[in-house]
Amino acid sequence: MKKQVLITNRLPEAAYQLLSKHFHVTYNKTQLTEAQLVAKVKPFHGILCTLADPISAQVLAAAPLLECVANFAVGFNNIDLKAAKERKIWVTNTPDVLTEATADIAWALLLSCARRLPEGEKMIRRGQFKGGGALMLLGQDLVGKTLGIYGFGRIGKAVARRGKGWDMPVIYHQRHRESAKVEKHYNARYVSFETLLKNSDYLSVNSPLTPETKLRFTSREFAKMKPTAVFVNAARGAIHCEADLVRALKNRQIASAGLDVYEFEPKIDSGLLSLPNCTLLPHIGSATIGTRTQMAVLAAQNLELALRGRRPKTPVTP
Ligand code: NAP
Ligand code: GLV
């Protein structure tokens, strides 16, 4: 008897092709709620899911045969790791293959905010461009400005590496200081969280969402940033408080924000939608054809290995 696998949503075909060689695959193609997952998961040995799927303790409890949850994402805050560990269920993610694409999106947001691209775009599309003006849409320079990074991991470092092209000194904050060699390589200096807030001209959030990082950026933090600062979050929306961010942008406590992720995703604070000084993207950090294909292959390989009783390539749970 072949083991049973559930793919929870539409993915690059590579995942289905690889898994269907070895397993009986149920390919669901619409977003499932937690209740729908609970009702569905009973027969499955493996689940290939996306970050929009809440793999809660209740979902895991409803899947008595489950051996592995392979997340199609590097972040795994959608999965109850504690419950998975208790059941000795493998949880895997897709690190590395999406690092460069996600760093590109963080930089796209950063550049867009610095040079006020959404306002310029809107002006053109509304037919309001009547010729250049010396004082029209003045943005901010990048060369030599300080790039602050919250969460100096794979993606944070790739964001920093791009800053070299603009001769940007990098400051970073996370729980552990990197080695002197790494700091030298990235032209980066370890600073306290307060210094990161105070000294960053551009602040990029690249940490995972954890109980410690949840709502790390609120009114209190935005008030400490430069009024010219650009805040970029291409990590997880709940790391900042969206209502507080709207207030900070309205009151010009910071200059602008570039977001790929939202506190209550896919819901977006209506205040953000009407603000000119923000660039808003629909969680497309890793959305290139090449990257998403690599993620699908890696997630499927992880699941295949686990269901064959072998160690997956990129496990989150030991
Ligand atoms: P990573 O290599 O594990 O890096 C995460 C970094 O965050 C680590 O260096 C870690 O350092 C730091 N960190 C952890 N807890 C922290 C805390 N309490 N305070 C400050 N820093 C903390 O992960 P990655 O591959 O770079 O991915 C980072 C995140 O990006 C993912 O978790 C995911 O949520 C998000 N992401 C979003 C997209 C998108 O589409 N927008 C795409 C890919 C990833 P310490 O352990 O020293 O603190
Ligand atoms: C995307 O958000 C990821 O975590 O891979």
Side-chain angles (χ1 to χ4, degrees):
M1 274 280 281
K2 282 185 175 177
K3 286 188 174 173
Q4 297 226 42
V5 161
L6 171 66
I7 300 179
T8 60
N9 214 328
R10 282 173 62 87
L11 295 180
E13 281 305 306
Y16 178 81
Q17 282 166 12
L18 197 149
L19 290 169
S20 58
K21 283 186 200 152
H22 309 283
F23 309 111
H24 183 273
V25 181
T26 300
Y27 194 174
N28 182 71
K29 294 190 179 174
T30 54
Q31 183 60 51
L32 297 167
T33 62
E34 184 179 1
Q36 287 169 325
L37 280 163
V38 167
K40 204 173 181 71
V41 293
K42 192 171 176 193
F44 296 103
H45 300 87
I47 298 177
L48 202 172
C49 60
T50 74
L51 56 87
D53 296 314
I55 308 295
S56 62
Q58 288 86 330
V59 172
L60 295 172
L65 305 176
L66 196 60
E67 296 170 35
C68 179
V69 178
N71 215 27
F72 178 78
V74 67
F76 45 83
N77 51 288
N78 57 312
I79 301 170
D80 189 324
L81 272 200
K82 188 169 168 276
K85 277 183 192 163
E86 279 166 10
R87 285 265 314 280
K88 293 194 166 50
I89 295 169
W90 287 106
V91 174
T92 68
N93 66 347
T94 57
D96 299 315
V97 293
L98 47 56
T99 295
E100 300 302 332
T102 309
D104 285 344
I105 278 293
W107 262 88
L109 288 168
L110 195 152
L111 286 166
S112 171
C113 289
R115 301 304 300 272
R116 304 176 58 179
L117 301 194
E119 291 166 85
E121 255 262 324
K122 208 173 274 170
M123 182 185 280
I124 296 282
R125 289 180 192 278
R126 287 182 175 169
Q128 292 164 342
F129 177 47
K130 307 293 180 204
L135 297 178
M136 196 179 80
L137 288 180
L138 301 185
Q140 297 189 51
D141 294 312
L142 284 112
V143 170
K145 294 292 171 77
T146 298
L147 175 58
I149 299 190
Y150 179 75
F152 200 56
R154 290 170 290 241
I155 298 168
K157 289 188 181 84
V159 171
R161 182 156 44 74
R162 284 156 176 73
K164 285 185 183 183
W166 279 264
D167 290 331
M168 294 174 93
V170 173
I171 55 178
Y172 72 96
H173 181 77
Q174 60 182 7
R175 292 168 303 176
H176 308 100
R177 185 173 176 175
E178 299 286 343
S179 69
K181 195 175 159 202
V182 168
E183 289 188 349
K184 189 166 174 230
H185 180 74
Y186 291 98
N187 188 25
R189 188 162 59 88
Y190 185 68
V191 295
S192 67
F193 184 57
E194 298 294 311
T195 302
L196 186 84
L197 296 173
K198 227 171 74 190
N199 291 6
S200 297
D201 293 305
Y202 296 88
L203 200 164
S204 174
V205 176
N206 296 109
S207 72
L209 174 62
T210 66
E212 240 183 312
T213 65
K214 190 168 181 187
L215 298 181
R216 194 70 182 95
F217 293 85
T218 64
S219 293
R220 181 186 162 276
E221 285 70 34
F222 295 127
K224 292 183 177 174
M225 291 172 66
K226 297 184 185 187
T228 49
V230 170
F231 176 81
V232 169
N233 189 351
R236 284 291 182 271
I239 299 171
H240 67 253
C241 170
E242 210 153 288
D244 288 1
L245 178 59
V246 169
R247 263 190 294 278
L249 290 168
K250 263 192 190 149
N251 302 337
R252 302 282 166 165
Q253 266 176 327
I254 62 171
S256 74
L259 305 176
D260 187 41
V261 288
Y262 302 87
E263 186 180 352
F264 303 108
E265 205 169 305
K267 287 197 192 107
I268 300 182
D269 190 303
S270 58
L272 271 181
L273 299 177
S274 56
L275 280 173
N277 52 340
C278 56
T279 303
L280 308 174
L281 297 178
H283 204 146
I284 54 168
S286 63
T288 71
I289 297 165
T291 295
R292 287 278 162 92
T293 303
Q294 288 186 70
M295 289 166 67
V297 170
L298 179 55
Q301 287 173 337
N302 277 331
L303 195 49
E304 186 204 339
L305 286 166
L307 297 195
R308 288 174 175 278
R310 291 172 54 197
R311 185 180 171 77
K313 286 184 162 181
T314 51
V316 173
T317 47

